Amino acid sequence: MALENGRIIWQKIYSSNKSIDEIHNLILKSGNFSDIKKTGSQITANINQFLLNRKLSKSSGSLYMYTDDITGFVLIEFKEQRYRITVKNLTFISNTEIHALGDGVGARTPLERYALNGNGEYRKAYLKRDEGVIDANLNQIFNPQIRDNDW
């Protein structure tokens, strides 16, 4: 993950012989995305909210990862048999009425609230406990398409 203008983004670059239309169809079939749009050499979508699977990482994650779903915006850009996936606006959506964790069911909290300190730098606890969980889960929602035998 990286910081861009005070916001956390996740990026991965993949090599592929698939066309933008083929990737678009895989994204549609996956069920992981909504508001999918294909324009020119890019695809945009929103990640359907889901509860993070902490077992995908060696870290157990913080308390908010046990109770809140996560969602975000996806931009997939295509260039010369490669594509870059950028995920931004990562947001947690509360599934609990425990007000110490937010403002009740449905409350939306940007990842930056948990991950960054007042100076806009990563909190050490986030890097130690949480970043690996989020990274593993984002890899999981994109990797099934990459491991497809047709790739």
Side-chain angles (χ1 to χ4, degrees), residues 14 16 18 22-33 76 83 85 139-151:
Y14 298 102
S16 175
K18 294 284 189 192
E22 291 169 306
I23 301 289
H24 181 255
N25 287 334
L26 288 170
I27 295 288
L28 286 169
K29 290 178 188 176
S30 74
N32 293 325
F33 307 95
I76 305 173
Y83 62 96
I85 299 172
N139 275 315
Q140 181 73 22
I141 66 171
F142 292 107
N143 275 347
Q145 297 153 7
I146 293 161
R147 282 182 275 180
D148 186 319
N149 290 335
D150 294 332
W151 286 79

Side-chain angles (χ1 to χ4, degrees), residues 68-144:
D68 295 357
D69 288 342
I70 193 168
T71 187
F73 174 79
V74 179
L75 170 65
I76 305 173
E77 299 167 288
F78 292 81
K79 180 179 174 181
E80 302 168 2
Q81 297 186 337
R82 302 180 287 160
Y83 62 96
R84 178 174 63 188
I85 299 172
T86 303
V87 179
K88 50 187 165 181
N89 300 331
L90 287 163
T91 304
F92 285 92
I93 302 169
S94 179
N95 289 319
T96 181
E97 287 291 342
I98 301 172
H99 291 283
L101 301 176
D103 297 324
V105 174
R108 300 175 75 86
T109 305
L111 172 60
E112 291 80 8
R113 178 174 170 194
Y114 300 119
L116 304 179
N117 64 24
N119 296 325
E121 301 165 337
Y122 285 111
R123 296 174 194 255
K124 289 179 181 158
Y126 168 79
L127 293 174
K128 182 178 179 181
R129 288 191 311 246
D130 302 343
E131 183 180 34
V133 175
I134 295 170
D135 184 60
N137 277 268
L138 291 175
N139 275 315
Q140 181 73 22
I141 66 171
F142 292 107
N143 275 347

Side-chain angles (χ1 to χ4, degrees), residues 13-69:
I13 297 173
Y14 298 102
S15 296
S16 175
N17 292 325
K18 294 284 189 192
S19 70
I20 188 171
D21 292 326
E22 291 169 306
I23 301 289
H24 181 255
N25 287 334
L26 288 170
I27 295 288
L28 286 169
K29 290 178 188 176
S30 74
N32 293 325
F33 307 95
S34 61
D35 300 322
I36 303 164
K37 295 180 178 95
K38 180 180 67 162
T39 56
S41 62
Q42 64 184 29
I43 298 170
T44 60
N46 291 314
I47 299 172
N48 292 334
Q49 72 183 66
F50 68 98
L51 186 62
L52 291 169
N53 180 352
R54 296 174 323 282
K55 293 179 182 178
L56 293 176
S57 172
K58 293 179 183 177
S59 172
S60 61
S62 295
L63 185 58
Y64 63 91
M65 294 185 169
Y66 288 73
T67 60
D68 295 357
D69 288 342

